[in-house]
Amino acid sequence: MYNSFSIRFIPIISLFLIAMTIPAQSSFRNEQKKHARVKAAYSEKESIIKALFTTRKLVYANFHMILVGFKAEKKLKVYIRGTKQKSYSLLKSYDFCVLSGELGPKRKQGDLQVPEGLYEISNYNPQSSYHLSIKVNYPNKSDKVLSDKKNPGDDIYIHGNCVSVGCIPLTDELIKEVYLMAVETKNAGHKIPVYLFPFEMTPENMLVYKMNDDYKKHVAFWDNLQKMYNWWDKNKKEIPYTVDAKGKYQLGQ
């Protein structure tokens, strides 16, 4: 006959044995590193990225990341924030390998345009035809109002392989760094905002582009987007915004 202690003890042992038979949940990082290209990226680039973090006095652990792209300048800038920091700091700027389309937002399938607006990373492709790629969630709420209703386009990525039909291409060597940092950010449970601007939207640049007849059709959209740029440029924090029924970005939650 079991005594009362034994009766209480047996379920505890049973639970322990059951727990021992359940495999440990694999992290997003570990799943990604099962792919040869991601594994190679870590092998080749992680020490470089860690050294860059140290130089910038940032901690390479549980960090937040924002990607900011400028089409005219052909730059993709990586900003990082530690969990104890309130604002983001520039870690590194990457050159676009090539740029398709022209200045102005993407509005339909096949227009070759790189989107302009406020986005976030929505998917990771470790076996991409373009070496490695991370997906931008175009069309967003604004695009769904302002773009072609039937065929707004999709499949916008930041990737390698130096070709573009509306995406942001880096070289294979550079996408390894960006992809690695994106994996680390997601592995820590953080989303990655992506802010894509036609150019650095300073008052001086806005005046220059507004005077160009080729871009007058974009002026209203750019005026709206400049408010988001100004907030980011001043605060270096995630932009708090909503999208109204007309597809305009509005500051505030």
Side-chain angles (χ1 to χ4, degrees):
M1 180 179 293
Y2 295 115
N3 58 35
S4 60
F5 174 79
S6 298
I7 293 172
R8 291 194 301 271
F9 190 62
I10 289 173
I12 294 174
I13 293 176
S14 299
L15 289 173
F16 175 76
L17 291 173
I18 292 172
M20 289 293 289
T21 64
I22 299 175
Q25 184 175 5
S26 180
S27 69
F28 180 73
R29 179 202 296 121
N30 290 342
E31 289 299 314
Q32 284 285 310
K33 288 175 74 173
K34 291 178 181 179
H35 299 277
R37 294 175 192 170
V38 181
K39 186 177 180 180
Y42 270 85
S43 176
E44 298 168 18
K45 302 295 185 179
E46 188 171 32
S47 61
I48 296 172
I49 296 300
K50 285 182 176 180
L52 189 56
F53 268 67
T54 299
T55 300
R56 298 287 192 269
K57 297 182 179 180
L58 294 164
V59 177
Y60 183 77
N62 195 27
F63 56 84
H64 297 253
M65 174 180 176
I66 287 180
L67 300 174
V68 183
F70 298 99
K71 290 166 59 173
E73 292 82 0
K74 296 182 181 178
K75 297 289 185 181
L76 180 69
K77 298 185 178 184
V78 175
Y79 287 84
I80 299 295
R81 175 177 70 82
T83 53
K84 295 183 179 180
Q85 295 168 313
K86 293 183 178 180
S87 60
Y88 285 78
S89 300
L90 178 64
L91 181 75
K92 187 173 180 179
S93 181
Y94 295 88
D95 291 332
F96 291 16
C97 189
V98 69
L99 180 69
S100 68
E102 58 187 26
L103 297 187
K106 183 173 183 63
R107 289 294 178 242
K108 62 181 178 180
Q109 180 75 34
D111 63 6
L112 304 181
Q113 289 293 93
V114 175
E116 296 171 8
L118 309 182
Y119 302 92
E120 62 183 61
I121 296 301
S122 61
N123 198 19
Y124 295 70
N125 188 351
Q127 296 179 313
S128 172
S129 299
Y130 305 96
H131 195 69
L132 295 167
S133 62
I134 48 178
K135 188 174 185 180
V136 177
N137 70 325
Y138 174 92
N140 63 15
K141 289 182 179 180
S142 173
D143 300 320
K144 289 176 181 178
V145 175
L146 299 176
S147 297
D148 186 272
K149 296 298 186 291
K150 293 183 178 179
N151 295 297
D154 57 8
D155 287 340
I156 300 299
Y157 286 85
I158 299 168
H159 59 65
N161 204 22
C162 204
V163 294
S164 176
V165 287
C167 295
I168 297 174
L170 310 177
T171 64
D172 288 356
E173 290 302 307
L174 296 183
I175 193 60
K176 291 175 185 177
E177 296 184 11
V178 176
Y179 195 94
L180 183 157
M181 288 186 282
V183 167
E184 287 296 308
T185 305
K186 181 173 175 59
N187 192 69
H190 309 309
K191 68 177 183 178
I192 303 175
V194 182
Y195 305 148
L196 299 179
F197 300 106
F199 46 83
E200 300 233 17
M201 303 184 84
T202 63
E204 296 79 11
N205 284 345
M206 286 290 289
L207 182 60
V208 169
Y209 285 106
K210 281 183 175 183
M211 292 176 64
N212 189 319
D213 289 340
D214 291 338
Y215 301 131
K216 286 187 176 180
K217 59 185 176 182
H218 304 312
V219 167
F221 176 74
W222 285 351
D223 280 340
N224 177 235
L225 192 58
Q226 188 192 28
K227 296 175 183 177
M228 307 299 111
Y229 169 87
N230 288 341
W231 197 96
W232 160 254
D233 191 52
K234 177 181 178 181
N235 298 286
K236 293 298 188 294
K237 298 179 180 179
E238 291 188 28
I239 301 173
Y241 72 94
T242 57
V243 176
D244 67 19
K246 295 182 179 181
K248 290 185 176 181
Y249 295 103
Q250 302 292 340
L251 284 171
Q253 299 295 340

